[in-house]
Amino acid sequence: WLQEQCPSPTDPNWPDMLRSGVREIHASLQTVACSKGLSMDDLACTLLLAIVTPTGAIAAHLGDGGAVLMRSDGELRMLSVCQREGAANRTAFVTDVDWEPNLGLALQRGEFTGLAAFSDGLEAGAVNGQREPHPGFFQPLFAACSQHPVAAATKDLREFLRSDHLRAHTDD
């Protein structure tokens, strides 16, 4: 789907294009469930699709977790974050029958040098009380990724995620 019709932040139809893509994902999961004799609940999963171009970023988001962008000047911007509604510990899944009203669509214009996605387990450390990116979480993360080869950045990331300080603020 993305190869054939990748939406751009400058295309005024980007929301419809992302919605259409998520419909295709939902339908594909239904096909898999039927072919394997499974229920959609057996395949329950969240979705975070982010597309970053030279002119901006767009996202489609179902469920928990989120995505943060970094500009070349180091400014952090939230691209997408879980909007919890209703019962605690309940999230929307792309496999839900009624997924569409829960689909979050987001647009950020500008030039970005970094994108980070995070799970619900890291949300408490990654996002502050105003639902904004926490610089103490993301700035070291982006710095490590930009200054080291992949292998070294992976090692630094593993150490960061296993640190006592981060574990004190998260539930994963």
Side-chain angles (χ1 to χ4, degrees):
W1 172 81
L2 279 177
Q3 291 176 342
E4 295 172 11
Q5 53 186 337
C6 185
S8 166
T10 59
D11 186 330
N13 295 319
W14 72 264
D16 293 332
M17 294 172 79
L18 285 182
R19 231 180 250 105
S20 174
V22 177
R23 278 189 202 104
E24 287 188 39
I25 291 168
H26 181 84
S28 294
L29 288 167
Q30 284 178 316
T31 300
V32 168
C34 287
S35 71
K36 304 267 185 202
L38 302 170
S39 74
M40 287 292 273
D41 287 343
D42 293 329
L43 301 178
C45 57
T46 60
L47 172 81
L48 177 54
L49 170 66
I51 299 170
V52 181
T53 72
T55 60
I58 53 178
H61 188 176
L62 273 165
D64 43 29
V68 168
L69 298 161
M70 186 176 76
R71 297 173 51 90
S72 59
D73 63 2
E75 178 189 357
L76 299 172
R77 290 209 185 152
M78 187 65 68
L79 176 59
S80 183
V81 68
C82 174
Q83 301 296 326
R84 284 194 172 34
E85 294 182 19
N89 293 324
R90 171 68 180 125
T91 193
F93 297 106
V94 70
T95 50
D96 289 346
V97 172
D98 61 344
W99 66 268
E100 210 157 344
N102 297 307
L103 180 65
L105 298 172
L107 165 69
Q108 284 282 344
R109 296 195 190 281
E111 293 182 32
F112 301 99
T113 59
L115 167 71
F118 57 91
S119 68
D120 62 320
L122 292 174
E123 211 167 306
V127 180
N128 68 22
Q130 289 77 41
R131 312 293 287 158
E132 296 169 350
H134 185 333
F137 180 89
F138 288 103
Q139 287 171 342
L141 177 68
F142 284 123
C145 291
S146 68
Q147 295 171 2
H148 301 294
V150 172
T154 301
K155 180 181 176 283
D156 289 348
L157 177 60
R158 186 178 301 116
E159 288 174 9
F160 174 67
L161 293 174
R162 290 181 176 165
S163 71
D164 291 337
H165 178 75
L166 182 61
R167 286 177 178 231
H169 298 284
T170 64
D171 47 0
D172 268 0

